[in-house]
Amino acid sequence: MNQQVQIGTGIIITNDNQVLLIKRKGPHGAGTWSTPGGHLEFGETPEQCAAREAKEEVGMEVVEARFRAVT
């Protein structure tokens, strides 16, 4: 059994009083609403991961991601 720790990030993208949500397609939470995000790659900071995931999932270029919390 291969056990390893994986770290995921989420990014909250806002515009005025609105929050961007996506409908998940993959096996994890398919059909549910979520903020963009995904798994941290080796050597990436959480901010870099969040920016990369925003680009991959919604085509948005994140200029300044700020770390907020760990859950």
Side-chain angles (χ1 to χ4, degrees), residues 28-43:
H28 178 71
T32 62
W33 293 95
S34 177
T35 58
H39 290 101
L40 192 74
E41 293 181 359
F42 183 78

Side-chain angles (χ1 to χ4, degrees), residues 18-64:
Q18 298 177 331
V19 176
L20 176 67
L21 295 176
I22 59 172
K23 198 166 196 178
R24 301 199 70 78
K25 295 180 188 174
H28 178 71
T32 62
W33 293 95
S34 177
T35 58
H39 290 101
L40 192 74
E41 293 181 359
F42 183 78
E44 239 179 0
T45 67
E47 295 87 354
Q48 290 168 330
C49 177
R52 176 181 54 76
E53 291 290 345
K55 180 70 173 176
E56 290 175 4
E57 294 184 1
V58 294
M60 294 186 78
E61 194 75 38
V62 175
V63 178
E64 184 181 332

Side-chain angles (χ1 to χ4, degrees), residues 12-20:
I12 300 170
I13 300 170
T14 61
N15 182 20
D16 295 325
N17 290 327
Q18 298 177 331
V19 176
L20 176 67

